[in-house]
Structure formats: structure tokens, C-alpha cells
Amino acid sequence: MNLSGVYVPLITPFAENGEIAADALEDLAHAVLDGGAAGLVALGTTAEVATLAAEERRAVTEICGRVCREHGATLIVGAGSSDTRGSAEALLALKGEADAALVTVPSFVRPSEAGVLAHFTALAGQTPVPLVVYNIPYRTGQSVGAATMREIGGLPTVAGVKHAVGGVDADTVALLADPPADFAILAGDDPFFSALLALGAPGGILASAHLDTARFVELAGAWRAGDVAHARALGHRLSAMSASLFTEPNPTVLKGVLHARGRIPTASVRLPLVPARRESVEAAEAALRLL
């Protein structure tokens, strides 16, 4: 599949009673797609997926899937775990429900890079949907170098990677300089979206794009068109705004801003997360106004 453009990993809004605010979730999904996003990611880290019950995960997937079908957009669903067999079972359940699956590099168990390759090789041979690898070392404790990622990217059912290594390092540069064929390297650290676009990334999976989605789409278009002056200026402003949303654990500040703007009924998050401080939310709102 061709993965390019901006994909938004949706939050899970909660009502005053603590249940999922389904109407607010649907409104957010419509809004970001109306803003030009190429698709949605359901059940990602931003969705607080670890705190959702099985029936809640099904409800989120159903809502996001319905909205994507209405817009002709791509739905990527978070699936998998550190257990290869369990991950394969989770992927099989996505048949007919998603266009692709976002699968994190195994966390906590910290396999070798050979083990990471074996994990994705096994999944690639069983999955009914294309895979997007989620490479995020500061959450998984496992770094995957450019050479191993190229091998993973060469597997026939692996469509891309959400590249979130905390910056632009040597592996980032090497991977973007020589990517596997038909393998999309998507920016996964919001403040570095513009930098990865400049290096050739076709798009990103960006929680920040809940806010002013069209400007992120505009940025991707500017780099693609070679409008460097505009892309640099807009990229700096979007990077500053994105950074302000991650001063506390994601998605606490983002939820605070969305609630302040009347887009979700509460800023509630589920433990062990706690709501963002007012100062953090106000700083993010100030950065957003500068756009």
C-alpha cells in the first residue's frame, strides 16, 4: 500500500462518567479527515489503549472504521504485543476491519535485532493486513538500526515504519537515504516532522495534527513541491507547537487543549496518567495561536 501524507493517531475522549465519549470521538475523526489527513490510527499510544477494555477497543475501531469508509481514508489499527504468537492472533482479528496494523517493536523483553527481525518475519507471513512497524526505542527499550529496518522493510507485507527515535540520528539519515522499495518511513516524533520531510519522508503519524490538521498537510505539500522557504518557516512554527504538547506525558496536554477548545467533553485520562497542569495547557494554546 502507498502510505503518504498525515495520519492522526486519535485520542480516546472520555465523558464525565468515565466512559468513552463516542460522539466526540466521531467528531474528531471527521474533523481531521476534513482537514486533509490521509487516514486515522486507532488504538495507538495516544488512544491510551493499555487502559481500554476489550469492548472499548472494539467500539473505537468500529467508529474510526466507519468514518474512514465515509471519507475514503485509510484506517491503521494498533495491534500486537511483545509476544509473537499473541501478536499474530491480534492481527488475524483485523481482517476486514482495518487497512493496516501498527505493530510496535517488542517491548520489555528486549530481544536482539535478530529477534526483532524474526518477530516481524513471523508476523509478515501470517498477517491478513499490511504491517506498519512502530520503532520507538524510548518506550520499548529496544533500538533497531537502519540495516535491520531495511531487512524488515523488505518483507512483502510490511508497508512502512512509524519512525520515532527521539530525534534525527545517524540511522534516520541512513534509512531515508536508502529505503527499501515500497516502504514508507513515516515521521513519528511530531517536533521532527519537518526535518524528516526535508530528508525525504513521505508523511507522518502525528498526534499534534489533531490541532490545525490542515497546516500539517500544508507542510507536507510544501516540502513535496520544493517550496523550501515556506516549508522551513511553517515547519519551525509547527515544531514549536508540537513540542509544547509533549511537555507532559502524551496525551495529557493534547486532551487539555482539546477540552479547552470545546472539542471533547472532559480532559480526563485514565490512571496511571494524570491530567496535565494548567500551565502546560496554556503554553500549548499560546503556541497554537502563533500559527
Side-chain angles (χ1 to χ4, degrees):
M1 64 188 305
N2 179 27
L3 291 171
S4 63
V6 173
Y7 298 83
V8 182
L10 287 181
I11 65 158
T12 304
F14 298 122
E16 293 286 353
N17 64 1
E19 300 297 316
I20 291 176
D23 289 345
L25 176 62
E26 185 165 348
D27 288 346
L28 285 173
H30 280 294
V32 299
L33 293 176
D34 286 340
L40 306 176
V41 177
L43 306 183
T45 306
T46 304
E48 300 172 72
V49 64
T51 70
L52 300 180
E55 63 271 18
E56 292 176 321
R57 293 195 294 272
R58 285 192 293 269
V60 168
T61 302
E62 191 278 326
I63 291 168
C64 292
R66 184 174 68 250
V67 174
C68 281
R69 288 191 295 273
E70 291 176 14
H71 287 261
T74 298
L75 176 64
I76 303 171
V77 176
S81 66
S82 298
D83 167 37
T84 305
R85 182 172 58 182
S87 296
E89 292 171 355
L91 290 169
L92 289 172
L94 293 182
K95 185 176 182 179
E97 300 294 325
D99 299 303
L102 182 65
V103 181
T104 306
V105 169
S107 61
F108 195 75
V109 294
R110 300 184 67 186
S112 65
E113 290 200 26
V116 174
L117 175 59
H119 174 77
F120 282 103
T121 300
L123 296 182
Q126 302 175 66
T127 180
V129 296
L131 304 180
V132 179
V133 178
Y134 191 3
N135 185 25
I136 183 165
Y138 54 85
R139 286 190 183 273
T140 65
Q142 173 65 56
S143 180
V144 181
T148 300
M149 192 57 68
R150 284 195 193 96
E151 291 190 73
I152 295 171
L155 297 169
T157 51
V158 176
V161 59
K162 180 180 179 181
H163 187 72
V165 300
V168 180
D169 62 6
D171 281 319
T172 303
V173 175
L175 188 60
L176 282 162
D178 183 24
D182 302 318
F183 180 71
I185 301 162
L186 301 172
D189 286 310
D190 300 28
F192 301 103
F193 180 43
S194 187
L196 264 67
L197 290 172
L199 289 169
I205 298 177
L206 310 165
S208 304
H210 279 81
L211 305 169
D212 215 340
T213 310
R215 302 307 296 275
F216 287 90
V217 175
E218 179 185 346
L219 177 62
W223 278 116
R224 191 162 47 246
D227 188 353
V228 175
H230 178 54
R232 281 178 177 164
L234 178 57
H236 286 314
R237 296 197 301 274
L238 286 173
S239 293
M241 188 274 285
S242 294
S244 73
L245 294 173
F246 292 91
T247 54
E248 297 192 37
N250 184 48
T252 61
V253 180
L254 174 58
K255 278 191 161 184
V257 174
L258 289 169
H259 176 56
R261 291 179 166 243
R263 296 181 61 187
I264 57 176
T266 74
S268 298
V269 290
R270 287 182 175 171
L271 288 171
L273 294 178
V274 295
R277 295 171 300 145
R278 184 179 64 183
E279 304 94 296
S280 298
V281 174
E282 290 174 349
E285 287 192 281
L288 183 59
R289 286 193 294 271
L290 292 177
L291 294 176

PDB file of all heavy atoms in Angstrom, residues 119-153:
ATOM      1  N   HIS A 119      10.718 -11.759  14.710  1.00  0.00           N
ATOM      2  CA  HIS A 119       9.359 -11.426  15.139  1.00  0.00           C
ATOM      3  C   HIS A 119       8.539 -10.923  13.958  1.00  0.00           C
ATOM      4  O   HIS A 119       7.441 -11.429  13.667  1.00  0.00           O
ATOM      5  CB  HIS A 119       9.441 -10.370  16.243  1.00  0.00           C
ATOM      6  CG  HIS A 119       8.129  -9.809  16.709  1.00  0.00           C
ATOM      7  ND1 HIS A 119       7.283 -10.493  17.542  1.00  0.00           N
ATOM      8  CD2 HIS A 119       7.544  -8.606  16.472  1.00  0.00           C
ATOM      9  CE1 HIS A 119       6.221  -9.746  17.809  1.00  0.00           C
ATOM     10  NE2 HIS A 119       6.353  -8.596  17.162  1.00  0.00           N
ATOM     11  N   PHE A 120       9.080  -9.947  13.241  1.00  0.00           N
ATOM     12  CA  PHE A 120       8.317  -9.374  12.128  1.00  0.00           C
ATOM     13  C   PHE A 120       8.264 -10.301  10.925  1.00  0.00           C
ATOM     14  O   PHE A 120       7.288 -10.288  10.161  1.00  0.00           O
ATOM     15  CB  PHE A 120       8.871  -7.994  11.764  1.00  0.00           C
ATOM     16  CG  PHE A 120       8.426  -6.918  12.708  1.00  0.00           C
ATOM     17  CD1 PHE A 120       9.286  -6.420  13.678  1.00  0.00           C
ATOM     18  CD2 PHE A 120       7.130  -6.432  12.662  1.00  0.00           C
ATOM     19  CE1 PHE A 120       8.865  -5.446  14.566  1.00  0.00           C
ATOM     20  CE2 PHE A 120       6.690  -5.468  13.552  1.00  0.00           C
ATOM     21  CZ  PHE A 120       7.560  -4.963  14.508  1.00  0.00           C
ATOM     22  N   THR A 121       9.263 -11.138  10.753  1.00  0.00           N
ATOM     23  CA  THR A 121       9.215 -12.131   9.681  1.00  0.00           C
ATOM     24  C   THR A 121       8.070 -13.103   9.922  1.00  0.00           C
ATOM     25  O   THR A 121       7.317 -13.451   9.000  1.00  0.00           O
ATOM     26  CB  THR A 121      10.549 -12.888   9.583  1.00  0.00           C
ATOM     27  OG1 THR A 121      11.602 -11.957   9.306  1.00  0.00           O
ATOM     28  CG2 THR A 121      10.505 -13.934   8.484  1.00  0.00           C
ATOM     29  N   ALA A 122       7.920 -13.551  11.176  1.00  0.00           N
ATOM     30  CA  ALA A 122       6.820 -14.459  11.511  1.00  0.00           C
ATOM     31  C   ALA A 122       5.463 -13.790  11.306  1.00  0.00           C
ATOM     32  O   ALA A 122       4.546 -14.386  10.737  1.00  0.00           O
ATOM     33  CB  ALA A 122       6.968 -14.936  12.956  1.00  0.00           C
ATOM     34  N   LEU A 123       5.347 -12.536  11.751  1.00  0.00           N
ATOM     35  CA  LEU A 123       4.072 -11.828  11.603  1.00  0.00           C
ATOM     36  C   LEU A 123       3.754 -11.564  10.134  1.00  0.00           C
ATOM     37  O   LEU A 123       2.594 -11.678   9.710  1.00  0.00           O
ATOM     38  CB  LEU A 123       4.108 -10.509  12.374  1.00  0.00           C
ATOM     39  CG  LEU A 123       4.258 -10.618  13.897  1.00  0.00           C
ATOM     40  CD1 LEU A 123       4.234  -9.228  14.527  1.00  0.00           C
ATOM     41  CD2 LEU A 123       3.174 -11.499  14.504  1.00  0.00           C
ATOM     42  N   ALA A 124       4.773 -11.208   9.361  1.00  0.00           N
ATOM     43  CA  ALA A 124       4.553 -10.902   7.944  1.00  0.00           C
ATOM     44  C   ALA A 124       4.027 -12.101   7.180  1.00  0.00           C
ATOM     45  O   ALA A 124       3.297 -11.947   6.191  1.00  0.00           O
ATOM     46  CB  ALA A 124       5.859 -10.417   7.310  1.00  0.00           C
ATOM     47  N   GLY A 125       4.358 -13.290   7.648  1.00  0.00           N
ATOM     48  CA  GLY A 125       3.896 -14.497   6.979  1.00  0.00           C
ATOM     49  C   GLY A 125       2.486 -14.906   7.346  1.00  0.00           C
ATOM     50  O   GLY A 125       1.931 -15.822   6.733  1.00  0.00           O
ATOM     51  N   GLN A 126       1.887 -14.241   8.350  1.00  0.00           N
ATOM     52  CA  GLN A 126       0.562 -14.635   8.822  1.00  0.00           C
ATOM     53  C   GLN A 126      -0.483 -13.538   8.756  1.00  0.00           C
ATOM     54  O   GLN A 126      -1.676 -13.808   8.810  1.00  0.00           O
ATOM     55  CB  GLN A 126       0.661 -15.108  10.283  1.00  0.00           C
ATOM     56  CG  GLN A 126       1.624 -16.264  10.508  1.00  0.00           C
ATOM     57  CD  GLN A 126       1.759 -16.606  11.984  1.00  0.00           C
ATOM     58  OE1 GLN A 126       0.806 -17.062  12.620  1.00  0.00           O
ATOM     59  NE2 GLN A 126       2.942 -16.379  12.543  1.00  0.00           N
ATOM     60  N   THR A 127      -0.055 -12.289   8.652  1.00  0.00           N
ATOM     61  CA  THR A 127      -0.982 -11.172   8.770  1.00  0.00           C
ATOM     62  C   THR A 127      -1.922 -11.066   7.569  1.00  0.00           C
ATOM     63  O   THR A 127      -1.499 -11.244   6.421  1.00  0.00           O
ATOM     64  CB  THR A 127      -0.209  -9.849   8.941  1.00  0.00           C
ATOM     65  OG1 THR A 127      -1.151  -8.769   9.061  1.00  0.00           O
ATOM     66  CG2 THR A 127       0.702  -9.572   7.747  1.00  0.00           C
ATOM     67  N   PRO A 128      -3.199 -10.741   7.818  1.00  0.00           N
ATOM     68  CA  PRO A 128      -4.129 -10.512   6.708  1.00  0.00           C
ATOM     69  C   PRO A 128      -4.125  -9.066   6.219  1.00  0.00           C
ATOM     70  O   PRO A 128      -4.785  -8.748   5.227  1.00  0.00           O
ATOM     71  CB  PRO A 128      -5.487 -10.867   7.332  1.00  0.00           C
ATOM     72  CG  PRO A 128      -5.331 -10.464   8.768  1.00  0.00           C
ATOM     73  CD  PRO A 128      -3.887 -10.763   9.121  1.00  0.00           C
ATOM     74  N   VAL A 129      -3.388  -8.181   6.923  1.00  0.00           N
ATOM     75  CA  VAL A 129      -3.318  -6.767   6.540  1.00  0.00           C
ATOM     76  C   VAL A 129      -1.857  -6.335   6.524  1.00  0.00           C
ATOM     77  O   VAL A 129      -1.015  -6.930   7.197  1.00  0.00           O
ATOM     78  CB  VAL A 129      -4.114  -5.868   7.517  1.00  0.00           C
ATOM     79  CG1 VAL A 129      -5.593  -6.203   7.483  1.00  0.00           C
ATOM     80  CG2 VAL A 129      -3.563  -5.977   8.941  1.00  0.00           C
ATOM     81  N   PRO A 130      -1.517  -5.292   5.750  1.00  0.00           N
ATOM     82  CA  PRO A 130      -0.143  -4.794   5.764  1.00  0.00           C
ATOM     83  C   PRO A 130       0.263  -4.317   7.157  1.00  0.00           C
ATOM     84  O   PRO A 130      -0.567  -3.864   7.947  1.00  0.00           O
ATOM     85  CB  PRO A 130      -0.183  -3.626   4.763  1.00  0.00           C
ATOM     86  CG  PRO A 130      -1.354  -3.915   3.880  1.00  0.00           C
ATOM     87  CD  PRO A 130      -2.358  -4.583   4.770  1.00  0.00           C
ATOM     88  N   LEU A 131       1.569  -4.393   7.428  1.00  0.00           N
ATOM     89  CA  LEU A 131       2.109  -4.003   8.724  1.00  0.00           C
ATOM     90  C   LEU A 131       2.843  -2.671   8.622  1.00  0.00           C
ATOM     91  O   LEU A 131       3.569  -2.420   7.661  1.00  0.00           O
ATOM     92  CB  LEU A 131       3.088  -5.056   9.241  1.00  0.00           C
ATOM     93  CG  LEU A 131       2.577  -6.491   9.360  1.00  0.00           C
ATOM     94  CD1 LEU A 131       3.689  -7.390   9.901  1.00  0.00           C
ATOM     95  CD2 LEU A 131       1.346  -6.553  10.247  1.00  0.00           C
ATOM     96  N   VAL A 132       2.651  -1.839   9.641  1.00  0.00           N
ATOM     97  CA  VAL A 132       3.469  -0.645   9.838  1.00  0.00           C
ATOM     98  C   VAL A 132       4.214  -0.854  11.147  1.00  0.00           C
ATOM     99  O   VAL A 132       3.598  -0.967  12.216  1.00  0.00           O
ATOM    100  CB  VAL A 132       2.615   0.636   9.907  1.00  0.00           C
ATOM    101  CG1 VAL A 132       3.507   1.861  10.134  1.00  0.00           C
ATOM    102  CG2 VAL A 132       1.804   0.811   8.624  1.00  0.00           C
ATOM    103  N   VAL A 133       5.517  -0.961  11.075  1.00  0.00           N
ATOM    104  CA  VAL A 133       6.340  -1.169  12.269  1.00  0.00           C
ATOM    105  C   VAL A 133       6.359   0.119  13.081  1.00  0.00           C
ATOM    106  O   VAL A 133       6.466   1.215  12.524  1.00  0.00           O
ATOM    107  CB  VAL A 133       7.776  -1.554  11.859  1.00  0.00           C
ATOM    108  CG1 VAL A 133       8.663  -1.739  13.082  1.00  0.00           C
ATOM    109  CG2 VAL A 133       7.759  -2.812  11.002  1.00  0.00           C
ATOM    110  N   TYR A 134       6.264   0.001  14.400  1.00  0.00           N
ATOM    111  CA  TYR A 134       6.367   1.169  15.279  1.00  0.00           C
ATOM    112  C   TYR A 134       7.698   1.069  16.005  1.00  0.00           C
ATOM    113  O   TYR A 134       7.863   0.282  16.936  1.00  0.00           O
ATOM    114  CB  TYR A 134       5.199   1.173  16.256  1.00  0.00           C
ATOM    115  CG  TYR A 134       5.020   2.450  17.052  1.00  0.00           C
ATOM    116  CD1 TYR A 134       5.829   3.573  16.870  1.00  0.00           C
ATOM    117  CD2 TYR A 134       4.006   2.543  18.008  1.00  0.00           C
ATOM    118  CE1 TYR A 134       5.648   4.732  17.598  1.00  0.00           C
ATOM    119  CE2 TYR A 134       3.810   3.697  18.742  1.00  0.00           C
ATOM    120  CZ  TYR A 134       4.628   4.785  18.541  1.00  0.00           C
ATOM    121  OH  TYR A 134       4.440   5.934  19.278  1.00  0.00           O
ATOM    122  N   ASN A 135       8.657   1.877  15.555  1.00  0.00           N
ATOM    123  CA  ASN A 135      10.005   1.864  16.131  1.00  0.00           C
ATOM    124  C   ASN A 135      10.139   3.039  17.079  1.00  0.00           C
ATOM    125  O   ASN A 135      10.315   4.185  16.650  1.00  0.00           O
ATOM    126  CB  ASN A 135      11.046   1.944  15.011  1.00  0.00           C
ATOM    127  CG  ASN A 135      12.461   1.814  15.542  1.00  0.00           C
ATOM    128  OD1 ASN A 135      12.688   1.234  16.605  1.00  0.00           O
ATOM    129  ND2 ASN A 135      13.428   2.344  14.816  1.00  0.00           N
ATOM    130  N   ILE A 136      10.048   2.782  18.367  1.00  0.00           N
ATOM    131  CA  ILE A 136      10.054   3.852  19.365  1.00  0.00           C
ATOM    132  C   ILE A 136      10.896   3.406  20.556  1.00  0.00           C
ATOM    133  O   ILE A 136      10.383   2.958  21.593  1.00  0.00           O
ATOM    134  CB  ILE A 136       8.601   4.238  19.766  1.00  0.00           C
ATOM    135  CG1 ILE A 136       8.589   5.396  20.760  1.00  0.00           C
ATOM    136  CG2 ILE A 136       7.796   3.024  20.228  1.00  0.00           C
ATOM    137  CD1 ILE A 136       7.250   6.064  20.936  1.00  0.00           C
ATOM    138  N   PRO A 137      12.220   3.515  20.439  1.00  0.00           N
ATOM    139  CA  PRO A 137      13.125   2.946  21.448  1.00  0.00           C
ATOM    140  C   PRO A 137      12.921   3.466  22.863  1.00  0.00           C
ATOM    141  O   PRO A 137      13.134   2.728  23.828  1.00  0.00           O
ATOM    142  CB  PRO A 137      14.519   3.335  20.920  1.00  0.00           C
ATOM    143  CG  PRO A 137      14.338   3.569  19.471  1.00  0.00           C
ATOM    144  CD  PRO A 137      12.951   4.086  19.302  1.00  0.00           C
ATOM    145  N   TYR A 138      12.516   4.737  22.994  1.00  0.00           N
ATOM    146  CA  TYR A 138      12.388   5.257  24.360  1.00  0.00           C
ATOM    147  C   TYR A 138      11.165   4.715  25.075  1.00  0.00           C
ATOM    148  O   TYR A 138      11.017   4.903  26.284  1.00  0.00           O
ATOM    149  CB  TYR A 138      12.404   6.791  24.383  1.00  0.00           C
ATOM    150  CG  TYR A 138      11.409   7.498  23.496  1.00  0.00           C
ATOM    151  CD1 TYR A 138      10.107   7.749  23.915  1.00  0.00           C
ATOM    152  CD2 TYR A 138      11.781   7.966  22.245  1.00  0.00           C
ATOM    153  CE1 TYR A 138       9.206   8.412  23.119  1.00  0.00           C
ATOM    154  CE2 TYR A 138      10.891   8.646  21.433  1.00  0.00           C
ATOM    155  CZ  TYR A 138       9.603   8.864  21.876  1.00  0.00           C
ATOM    156  OH  TYR A 138       8.710   9.527  21.063  1.00  0.00           O
ATOM    157  N   ARG A 139      10.290   3.992  24.380  1.00  0.00           N
ATOM    158  CA  ARG A 139       9.203   3.254  25.037  1.00  0.00           C
ATOM    159  C   ARG A 139       9.497   1.758  25.108  1.00  0.00           C
ATOM    160  O   ARG A 139       9.115   1.095  26.071  1.00  0.00           O
ATOM    161  CB  ARG A 139       7.868   3.482  24.312  1.00  0.00           C
ATOM    162  CG  ARG A 139       7.256   4.857  24.554  1.00  0.00           C
ATOM    163  CD  ARG A 139       5.839   4.895  24.012  1.00  0.00           C
ATOM    164  NE  ARG A 139       5.215   6.200  24.144  1.00  0.00           N
ATOM    165  CZ  ARG A 139       4.547   6.618  25.212  1.00  0.00           C
ATOM    166  NH1 ARG A 139       4.425   5.824  26.265  1.00  0.00           N
ATOM    167  NH2 ARG A 139       3.998   7.816  25.233  1.00  0.00           N
ATOM    168  N   THR A 140      10.140   1.215  24.083  1.00  0.00           N
ATOM    169  CA  THR A 140      10.347  -0.235  24.044  1.00  0.00           C
ATOM    170  C   THR A 140      11.631  -0.679  24.721  1.00  0.00           C
ATOM    171  O   THR A 140      11.770  -1.840  25.098  1.00  0.00           O
ATOM    172  CB  THR A 140      10.384  -0.738  22.585  1.00  0.00           C
ATOM    173  OG1 THR A 140      11.536  -0.182  21.931  1.00  0.00           O
ATOM    174  CG2 THR A 140       9.128  -0.330  21.835  1.00  0.00           C
ATOM    175  N   GLY A 141      12.604   0.242  24.842  1.00  0.00           N
ATOM    176  CA  GLY A 141      13.904  -0.144  25.359  1.00  0.00           C
ATOM    177  C   GLY A 141      14.734  -0.912  24.357  1.00  0.00           C
ATOM    178  O   GLY A 141      15.767  -1.488  24.705  1.00  0.00           O
ATOM    179  N   GLN A 142      14.290  -0.929  23.105  1.00  0.00           N
ATOM    180  CA  GLN A 142      14.941  -1.714  22.064  1.00  0.00           C
ATOM    181  C   GLN A 142      15.218  -0.834  20.849  1.00  0.00           C
ATOM    182  O   GLN A 142      14.295  -0.301  20.241  1.00  0.00           O
ATOM    183  CB  GLN A 142      14.050  -2.886  21.652  1.00  0.00           C
ATOM    184  CG  GLN A 142      14.553  -3.682  20.463  1.00  0.00           C
ATOM    185  CD  GLN A 142      15.851  -4.391  20.776  1.00  0.00           C
ATOM    186  OE1 GLN A 142      15.940  -5.159  21.717  1.00  0.00           O
ATOM    187  NE2 GLN A 142      16.874  -4.115  19.992  1.00  0.00           N
ATOM    188  N   SER A 143      16.478  -0.661  20.500  1.00  0.00           N
ATOM    189  CA  SER A 143      16.851   0.116  19.325  1.00  0.00           C
ATOM    190  C   SER A 143      16.970  -0.803  18.115  1.00  0.00           C
ATOM    191  O   SER A 143      17.498  -1.918  18.216  1.00  0.00           O
ATOM    192  CB  SER A 143      18.181   0.832  19.570  1.00  0.00           C
ATOM    193  OG  SER A 143      18.561   1.579  18.444  1.00  0.00           O
ATOM    194  N   VAL A 144      16.471  -0.354  16.981  1.00  0.00           N
ATOM    195  CA  VAL A 144      16.555  -1.116  15.735  1.00  0.00           C
ATOM    196  C   VAL A 144      17.293  -0.257  14.718  1.00  0.00           C
ATOM    197  O   VAL A 144      16.822   0.806  14.332  1.00  0.00           O
ATOM    198  CB  VAL A 144      15.155  -1.490  15.206  1.00  0.00           C
ATOM    199  CG1 VAL A 144      15.275  -2.305  13.915  1.00  0.00           C
ATOM    200  CG2 VAL A 144      14.375  -2.268  16.253  1.00  0.00           C
ATOM    201  N   GLY A 145      18.454  -0.699  14.295  1.00  0.00           N
ATOM    202  CA  GLY A 145      19.278   0.071  13.389  1.00  0.00           C
ATOM    203  C   GLY A 145      18.769   0.066  11.960  1.00  0.00           C
ATOM    204  O   GLY A 145      17.875  -0.705  11.587  1.00  0.00           O
ATOM    205  N   ALA A 146      19.379   0.922  11.144  1.00  0.00           N
ATOM    206  CA  ALA A 146      18.939   1.072   9.753  1.00  0.00           C
ATOM    207  C   ALA A 146      19.060  -0.230   8.975  1.00  0.00           C
ATOM    208  O   ALA A 146      18.180  -0.575   8.173  1.00  0.00           O
ATOM    209  CB  ALA A 146      19.743   2.179   9.080  1.00  0.00           C
ATOM    210  N   ALA A 147      20.131  -0.984   9.188  1.00  0.00           N
ATOM    211  CA  ALA A 147      20.332  -2.217   8.423  1.00  0.00           C
ATOM    212  C   ALA A 147      19.232  -3.233   8.716  1.00  0.00           C
ATOM    213  O   ALA A 147      18.676  -3.856   7.795  1.00  0.00           O
ATOM    214  CB  ALA A 147      21.706  -2.809   8.742  1.00  0.00           C
ATOM    215  N   THR A 148      18.893  -3.407  10.000  1.00  0.00           N
ATOM    216  CA  THR A 148      17.830  -4.346  10.349  1.00  0.00           C
ATOM    217  C   THR A 148      16.482  -3.849   9.852  1.00  0.00           C
ATOM    218  O   THR A 148      15.661  -4.638   9.361  1.00  0.00           O
ATOM    219  CB  THR A 148      17.780  -4.549  11.874  1.00  0.00           C
ATOM    220  OG1 THR A 148      19.033  -5.065  12.314  1.00  0.00           O
ATOM    221  CG2 THR A 148      16.673  -5.499  12.270  1.00  0.00           C
ATOM    222  N   MET A 149      16.242  -2.532   9.947  1.00  0.00           N
ATOM    223  CA  MET A 149      14.968  -1.991   9.476  1.00  0.00           C
ATOM    224  C   MET A 149      14.826  -2.176   7.970  1.00  0.00           C
ATOM    225  O   MET A 149      13.729  -2.416   7.466  1.00  0.00           O
ATOM    226  CB  MET A 149      14.839  -0.521   9.856  1.00  0.00           C
ATOM    227  CG  MET A 149      13.432   0.044   9.652  1.00  0.00           C
ATOM    228  SD  MET A 149      12.134  -0.856  10.557  1.00  0.00           S
ATOM    229  CE  MET A 149      12.570  -0.421  12.254  1.00  0.00           C
ATOM    230  N   ARG A 150      15.928  -2.096   7.237  1.00  0.00           N
ATOM    231  CA  ARG A 150      15.849  -2.370   5.798  1.00  0.00           C
ATOM    232  C   ARG A 150      15.423  -3.818   5.540  1.00  0.00           C
ATOM    233  O   ARG A 150      14.646  -4.095   4.626  1.00  0.00           O
ATOM    234  CB  ARG A 150      17.191  -2.098   5.125  1.00  0.00           C
ATOM    235  CG  ARG A 150      17.513  -0.636   4.913  1.00  0.00           C
ATOM    236  CD  ARG A 150      18.667  -0.448   3.940  1.00  0.00           C
ATOM    237  NE  ARG A 150      19.160   0.916   3.995  1.00  0.00           N
ATOM    238  CZ  ARG A 150      20.195   1.318   4.725  1.00  0.00           C
ATOM    239  NH1 ARG A 150      20.859   0.432   5.448  1.00  0.00           N
ATOM    240  NH2 ARG A 150      20.558   2.581   4.733  1.00  0.00           N
ATOM    241  N   GLU A 151      15.943  -4.748   6.335  1.00  0.00           N
ATOM    242  CA  GLU A 151      15.549  -6.148   6.173  1.00  0.00           C
ATOM    243  C   GLU A 151      14.067  -6.332   6.483  1.00  0.00           C
ATOM    244  O   GLU A 151      13.355  -7.033   5.755  1.00  0.00           O
ATOM    245  CB  GLU A 151      16.397  -7.046   7.066  1.00  0.00           C
ATOM    246  CG  GLU A 151      17.857  -7.155   6.675  1.00  0.00           C
ATOM    247  CD  GLU A 151      18.562  -8.248   7.461  1.00  0.00           C
ATOM    248  OE1 GLU A 151      18.309  -9.440   7.185  1.00  0.00           O
ATOM    249  OE2 GLU A 151      19.354  -7.905   8.355  1.00  0.00           O
ATOM    250  N   ILE A 152      13.621  -5.706   7.555  1.00  0.00           N
ATOM    251  CA  ILE A 152      12.200  -5.792   7.901  1.00  0.00           C
ATOM    252  C   ILE A 152      11.362  -5.155   6.792  1.00  0.00           C
ATOM    253  O   ILE A 152      10.328  -5.687   6.377  1.00  0.00           O
ATOM    254  CB  ILE A 152      11.931  -5.109   9.253  1.00  0.00           C
ATOM    255  CG1 ILE A 152      12.640  -5.870  10.384  1.00  0.00           C
ATOM    256  CG2 ILE A 152      10.430  -5.024   9.530  1.00  0.00           C
ATOM    257  CD1 ILE A 152      12.613  -5.150  11.725  1.00  0.00           C
ATOM    258  N   GLY A 153      11.819  -4.004   6.299  1.00  0.00           N
ATOM    259  CA  GLY A 153      11.086  -3.300   5.245  1.00  0.00           C
ATOM    260  C   GLY A 153      11.028  -4.061   3.938  1.00  0.00           C
ATOM    261  O   GLY A 153      10.161  -3.796   3.095  1.00  0.00           O
TER     262      GLY A 153
END
